[in-house]
Amino acid sequence: MERETQFIGQSAAFQDAVDRASQAATLDRPVLVIGERGTGKELIAERLHRLSARWDRPYVIMNCAAMPETLIESELFGHEAGAFTGATKTRAGRFEEADGGTLFLDELATMSMGAQERLLRAVEYGEVTRVGSSRPIRVDVRIVAATNEHLPALVEDNRFRADLLDRLSFEVITLPPLRAREGDIEVLATYFGQRMAAVLGWEEWPGFGPRALAAMEGHDWPGNVRELRNVIERAIYRWADPERPVDALSFDPFASPWQPVVRKATAKPAAAAAASEGAPTAHEPQSGPVSDLRAAVDAYEKQILADTMARCRFNQKVAAEALGLSYDQIRHALKKHGLNQ
């Protein structure tokens, strides 16, 4: 499918973020785009460029997390031939490539303190110096940066430069997570569903059944719009009858009774660890005939969660690590079983 470049949503929170981006686009100032993964930070950054006076000039994207720390300065500012091992010829950096246009720095918070210092100078004075050179080069670049981190907290932890944050935060656009976008889940799901149905050659779009709609609204969507798109497209692809409303969703593509079991050789068994801490252990599943498998599994899962939360003094982060779950996964599980009070 083609790259998705349009904004879909009707919630006030989402529309407010888009409107702020449109307003900020006309000013030749740095903009920070903040949001969880999958909320559309790249789309907002592209909108800031396309609606600016630089729209017909280069739009250069750099993912800071994808660059090794040893190469990020070379990627940003370029290098001269022989500047380091493997530098066989002179290379312009991203700043020079974006001259006259916009440079989008994704995952800004992963940048090293050394690279942050040189970035500050480039933003402050409009000059870059290639690695291995002493001659500065003038550039005219607008910076748009994105992260899913709370940068003021990183400044407090001495992991991000306060002066760089001051320079880049002329405008900060914070994107709402999908769970906060009232009414947008069904709108987006329908859009992605219709597109996938067209790809599969369905003659008509049958819509979603009540069970699927309820499951969508009850899910936390930790991966936001990107996760929603995957879930919907997977549901359409797996649905056997195009004439009936799609009424089954699979949120976890790895879910399987035969999935590999990861064993840590150095880890203590959970029961032994709990006993050593003097905390209650998780109850074993009841033996004997089971009349309702789903209910029995849910009850056992709830008991494990309750016991682990008690053992971890109700610290969700610690409990998630103990169970091998992400923070979003344990939040969803606790909410499912009514244990997040």
Side-chain angles (χ1 to χ4, degrees):
M1 292 185 179
E2 75 279 2
R3 171 180 165 82
E4 181 59 66
T5 57
Q6 58 182 310
F7 292 93
I8 300 167
Q10 59 190 16
S11 66
F14 176 69
Q15 291 294 338
D16 178 64
V18 174
D19 290 345
R20 288 184 65 186
S22 302
Q23 184 179 10
T26 60
L27 294 177
D28 201 16
R29 296 289 186 275
V31 177
L32 285 175
V33 185
I34 313 295
E36 297 178 7
R37 60 186 173 94
T39 49
K41 296 186 290 295
E42 281 195 33
L43 294 181
I44 290 291
E46 186 169 346
R47 185 178 187 85
L48 287 164
H49 174 71
R50 300 300 176 196
L51 296 183
S52 73
R54 299 171 179 259
W55 66 270
D56 59 343
R57 304 298 294 164
Y59 175 60
V60 178
I61 301 173
M62 177 173 168
N63 188 329
C64 300
M67 294 293 167
E69 185 174 340
T70 54
L71 293 179
I72 193 167
E73 291 188 33
S74 172
E75 286 293 324
L76 276 174
F77 311 115
H79 61 257
E80 297 291 340
F84 51 85
T85 303
T88 58
K89 58 183 180 179
T90 298
R91 181 184 183 281
R94 303 296 176 91
F95 266 92
E96 291 180 70
E97 293 174 1
D99 191 23
T102 303
L103 176 59
F104 173 47
L105 298 175
D106 200 7
E107 303 291 350
L108 176 71
T110 63
M111 188 176 289
S112 68
M113 294 297 280
Q116 290 178 34
E117 183 177 0
R118 293 196 64 187
L119 175 61
L120 173 63
R121 182 172 183 84
V123 175
E124 191 77 37
Y125 300 108
E127 292 182 349
V128 298
T129 303
R130 293 175 179 171
V131 177
S133 173
S134 59
R135 181 176 60 87
I137 301 171
R138 295 289 301 176
V139 290
D140 174 22
V141 175
R142 183 192 192 184
I143 299 292
V144 176
T147 181
N148 57 7
E149 299 275 4
H150 184 53
L151 293 178
L154 298 189
V155 170
E156 292 291 327
D157 292 340
N158 294 317
R159 294 164 52 199
F160 199 86
R161 293 182 63 100
D163 45 7
L164 178 58
L165 181 59
D166 291 340
R167 192 66 182 84
L168 294 179
S169 57
F170 170 79
E171 175 64 291
V172 179
I173 299 172
T174 304
L175 300 181
L178 183 57
R179 59 185 174 275
R181 292 171 53 176
E182 186 175 357
D184 282 354
I185 292 176
E186 186 174 350
V187 171
L188 284 160
T190 299
Y191 174 75
F192 292 134
Q194 290 175 333
R195 292 176 73 237
M196 190 62 179
V199 169
L200 296 175
W202 290 11
E203 294 184 1
E204 294 183 2
W205 168 240
F208 293 103
R211 186 171 60 176
L213 290 172
M216 289 180 209
E217 294 298 332
H219 189 56
D220 277 345
W221 300 110
N224 293 288
V225 178
R226 187 181 296 120
E227 180 190 4
L228 173 66
R229 175 175 176 172
N230 283 337
V231 168
I232 297 304
E233 291 181 353
R234 183 165 55 244
I236 307 304
Y237 144 74
R238 291 180 176 179
W239 193 244
D241 187 355
E243 296 183 359
R244 290 191 301 113
V246 179
D247 209 20
L249 302 179
S250 173
F251 294 103
D252 182 5
F254 295 96
S256 169
W258 303 283
Q259 66 184 28
V261 177
V262 178
R263 293 183 173 84
K264 298 181 180 178
T266 58
K268 294 191 296 182
S276 67
E277 297 176 14
T281 62
H283 295 293
E284 293 293 326
Q286 295 182 353
S287 59
V290 173
S291 59
D292 188 332
L293 177 61
R294 186 182 297 273
V297 170
D298 283 348
Y300 186 46
E301 182 182 70
K302 180 177 181 179
Q303 186 62 58
I304 291 174
L305 286 166
D307 290 346
T308 304
M309 286 294 291
R311 176 163 56 87
C312 297
R313 296 177 174 85
F314 302 97
N315 185 312
Q316 293 184 8
K317 183 177 180 181
V318 175
E321 293 175 353
L323 293 173
L325 300 175
S326 69
Y327 182 66
D328 286 323
Q329 287 173 329
I330 198 167
R331 284 180 58 244
H332 176 68
L334 292 171
K335 180 180 179 180
K336 169 186 174 183
H337 293 292
L339 297 174
N340 58 346
Q341 303 299 322

